[in-house]
Amino acid sequence: MTLDNDNRHDDSGRPAAVPTPAAGAKKGGKATATVAAVCLAMSGALIAGAAVGGKSTDDSTALYAEPDASPAAEAAAVPAAPETAARATDTAVPLEKAQDNTVALASLPQKESAAGPETVPVTPSLDAVIEETARQFAPVAGPETPPESLLEPQEVVRVLSVGRGDTLMAMLTGEGIDRRAAHNAISAMSKVFSPRKLKPGQELHVTLLPPAQQTQDAPFELISLNLPESAVREVRVSRLDDGAFEAEAIDKPTVTRAVSAQGAIETSLYEAAIADGVPPKVLAQLIQVFSFDIDFQREIQKGDRFALLYESVLAEDQVVGHGDIQVAEMTVRGDRRRYYRFKDEHGFWDYFDEKGRSVRKALLRTPIDGARLSSRYGKRKHPILGYTKMHRGVDFAAPTGTPIYAAGDGTIEVAGRNGAYGKYIRIRHNSTYKTAYAHLSRIKIGKGKRVRQGQVIGYVGTTGRSTGPHLHYEVHQNGKQTNPLSVKLPTGKTLTGSQLAAFQKRRAELDAQYATLTAETQVAEKN
């Protein structure tokens, strides 16, 4: 029997039976079975081609017969097809794939018949089928990745933390920025923010563009510089198209919200207030309001209470600061005192009681926050001299650097060294009262300057004849030193007329606001 690609006959001239693909699959395994399935799909395609050419048939083996083959010969070849298809189905590619291959095989070469323009399918060789199938199933290549050297440089953002002793110039040039560009950026920033005000711990967000050619000396291009100056203000420096720099200060919008707090004192006012969420800054203000009336070192005891209404400042729904106390209340030994914040006719804010009397007295009894009373007024054995000597003031022990406040409005009469007192300040308040402050580490206000009550005038130290850091505080009345803790001090101003009416209206508003917030807090705590 002789077979070729175009004419398949045995030696007697009859069409030869074609081996079924399934038979080959049994010998060749899965790979052969797949080829068999592809060949079966090819047969379907050629059958379709034959139908188009006017030679419709229902059997794939007819493709291998001569055009004039007898019906008997065709019938002899037909029985093999169903079995072949059934066997091939077990391992064949899905029908969808076979249909795709049918389309592909339909594109293989065809030849014209001798009778005319009709075309007769050319039986492809097995190698051609495999080659065409491989071409159809070959993966599609993606876009080529350009060489790294052709990629555009990408901007990078670096966060720089200011350290002790750092300068902005050194920080920028240390990141590879050209010194001239760094200088121009700093000059632009100086118009809205002084780089000298940078503090350790602050962060700068620097946007850089790496050089196109990565060489050792190639500088980075500075694109922008952002500095969060505070919780509500940001400084931005941006590079313009012409290479110059422009700076702007951006203030975040803020809103003010009223907050109430209250609590009982168990061990100390500080612990009770902090436990109730009162910020330290607000607590310091509360102490200052009542410093005219209460000696927080001696008079506060267990069971006393505090209450206040203060302002909280928010930006982007985050608390960024705190405003002033609007209502301040202390109950000490059963004596309740409440003060309200109000602006008088001269534009000054102050605190007044329910009758419009100012909380301010002529002088503060304790011109320092958080200090411990370490020595009282009167005779005592001097810790350095060793003998009994009159102590004509009171001593408040506190760490070096603790701020000292002016006890009242007045003029600086003395500011400088004064023998055993060390660094010394004396303030003349009026024709009757003067106050003195000794052993300071530093003097902030010079002689002849006008000061307001509560203004910082210096800092605690241990200069002069001193055994440790503390403030020696004296009150002079009519030229004589007197006990600051027992002297009878005059009260401040009292509102009258239209000012008193305006105050009473404001007082009613604050009382209502405080009551509402307190009620809401109590409901929230129960829930």
Side-chain angles (χ1 to χ4, degrees):
M1 180 175 67
T2 303
L3 297 175
D4 57 36
N5 290 334
D6 297 325
N7 300 293
R8 304 198 179 205
H9 300 79
D10 61 12
D11 294 337
S12 63
R14 292 175 299 179
V18 181
T20 64
K26 292 181 180 180
K27 295 180 181 181
K30 294 182 178 179
T32 307
T34 304
V35 173
V38 173
C39 292
L40 180 61
M42 177 195 74
S43 299
L46 297 182
I47 290 171
V52 173
K55 302 291 183 177
S56 176
T57 181
D58 294 328
D59 194 271
S60 61
T61 57
L63 295 171
Y64 299 103
E66 291 294 337
D68 55 351
S70 64
E74 295 180 10
V78 167
E83 180 184 4
T84 301
R87 292 177 181 177
T89 303
D90 296 338
T91 57
V93 295
L95 178 60
E96 294 81 357
K97 294 293 184 180
Q99 291 173 345
D100 292 343
N101 290 337
T102 300
V103 177
L105 294 174
S107 64
L108 292 173
Q110 297 178 341
K111 63 182 180 179
E112 295 183 359
S113 67
E118 294 182 352
T119 60
V120 178
V122 177
T123 305
S125 67
L126 183 60
D127 291 341
V129 172
I130 294 174
E131 180 179 353
E132 179 64 19
T133 302
R135 184 183 69 79
Q136 291 293 327
F137 283 91
V140 179
E144 295 185 2
T145 302
E148 186 176 350
S149 60
L150 299 179
L151 294 175
E152 291 290 335
Q154 299 296 316
E155 293 182 356
V156 295
V157 178
R158 295 178 182 173
V159 180
L160 311 182
S161 181
V162 180
R164 187 175 298 276
D166 284 347
T167 63
L168 185 55
M169 174 63 77
M171 294 175 67
L172 295 180
T173 55
E175 295 299 319
I177 300 172
D178 177 72
R179 190 174 186 85
R180 181 181 295 275
H183 172 76
N184 292 339
I186 294 172
S187 297
M189 174 188 278
S190 299
K191 297 177 181 178
V192 295
F193 174 79
S194 173
R196 295 180 180 273
K197 294 182 179 179
L198 286 174
K199 300 177 182 178
Q202 280 189 292
E203 291 185 344
L204 296 92
H205 300 258
V206 181
T207 303
L208 305 173
L209 184 65
Q213 299 295 328
Q214 297 289 346
T215 61
Q216 184 175 0
D217 297 330
F220 281 72
E221 184 177 346
L222 177 60
I223 303 301
S224 65
L225 169 64
N226 288 5
L227 169 66
E229 181 184 351
S230 67
V232 297
R233 193 170 190 261
E234 180 177 315
V235 176
R236 292 181 185 176
V237 180
S238 305
R239 188 185 189 94
L240 304 179
D241 293 338
D242 60 0
F245 288 92
E246 180 181 62
E248 59 178 338
I250 302 172
D251 294 318
K252 297 180 182 179
T254 60
V255 295
T256 301
R257 182 180 65 187
V259 181
S260 67
Q262 60 177 330
I265 299 172
E266 294 295 328
T267 56
S268 70
L269 173 62
Y270 177 85
E271 291 184 2
I274 295 300
D276 201 57
V278 178
K281 177 183 176 182
V282 176
L283 175 58
Q285 189 178 4
L286 175 67
I287 294 173
Q288 189 174 25
V289 169
F290 285 99
S291 62
F292 298 94
D293 300 314
I294 300 172
D295 183 347
F296 285 93
Q297 295 296 326
R298 299 185 303 166
E299 296 182 17
I300 297 295
Q301 58 185 351
K302 183 177 180 180
D304 291 343
R305 299 187 61 85
F306 75 92
L308 66 159
L309 178 71
Y310 64 95
E311 295 175 337
S312 184
V313 182
L314 294 87
E316 299 176 350
D317 295 328
Q318 298 293 325
V319 177
V320 296
H322 302 283
D324 295 296
I325 293 176
Q326 301 300 310
V327 179
E329 178 181 300
M330 287 289 302
T331 301
V332 178
R333 300 179 182 180
D335 181 19
R336 186 181 73 89
R337 300 179 186 182
R338 177 180 285 194
Y339 293 104
Y340 304 85
R341 189 169 185 261
F342 180 73
K343 184 191 292 186
D344 64 17
E345 70 274 18
H346 301 296
F348 293 108
W349 288 97
D350 203 350
Y351 291 88
F352 299 86
D353 65 11
E354 63 276 5
K355 295 182 179 180
R357 295 175 299 195
S358 173
V359 68
R360 293 181 184 272
K361 306 299 187 292
L363 302 174
L364 291 173
R365 295 187 185 276
T366 55
I368 187 172
D369 289 335
R372 175 178 59 86
L373 182 64
S374 58
S375 184
R376 298 178 181 276
Y377 182 91
K379 289 186 177 182
R380 65 168 186 173
K381 184 177 180 181
H382 198 281
I384 295 179
L385 300 177
Y387 57 84
T388 301
K389 187 176 185 294
M390 187 64 180
H391 187 231
R392 301 185 182 279
V394 292
D395 292 346
F396 296 98
T400 298
T402 301
I404 299 170
Y405 307 114
D409 295 354
T411 303
I412 302 292
E413 192 175 61
V414 178
R417 287 275 182 176
N418 186 12
Y421 284 114
K423 292 184 178 179
Y424 174 88
I425 293 176
R426 188 167 68 237
I427 302 175
R428 180 180 180 277
H429 302 286
N430 53 38
S431 59
T432 303
Y433 293 100
K434 296 180 183 179
T435 53
Y437 316 79
H439 308 303
L440 278 60
S441 62
R442 182 160 63 95
I443 295 173
K444 186 176 181 180
I445 305 295
K447 180 179 178 180
K449 298 293 184 181
R450 180 76 179 170
V451 293
R452 294 270 299 172
Q453 189 174 58
Q455 183 177 345
V456 177
I457 57 173
Y459 302 90
V460 169
T462 185
T463 56
R465 190 180 295 162
S466 170
T467 57
H470 71 284
L471 167 66
H472 174 78
Y473 175 55
E474 296 180 353
V475 173
H476 299 189
Q477 184 177 17
N478 295 320
K480 295 182 179 181
Q481 296 157 316
T482 187
N483 188 349
L485 302 180
S486 63
V487 63
K488 188 68 174 179
L489 299 174
T491 59
K493 67 179 298 181
T494 299
L495 299 174
T496 58
S498 61
Q499 281 286 294
L500 179 59
F503 166 75
Q504 294 295 356
K505 179 181 178 181
R506 176 59 177 163
R507 172 183 166 238
E509 294 173 353
L510 291 174
D511 281 338
Q513 188 176 27
Y514 176 75
T516 301
L517 289 174
T518 302
E520 291 176 353
T521 302
Q522 292 174 349
V523 171
E525 290 176 351
K526 289 181 180 179
N527 295 335

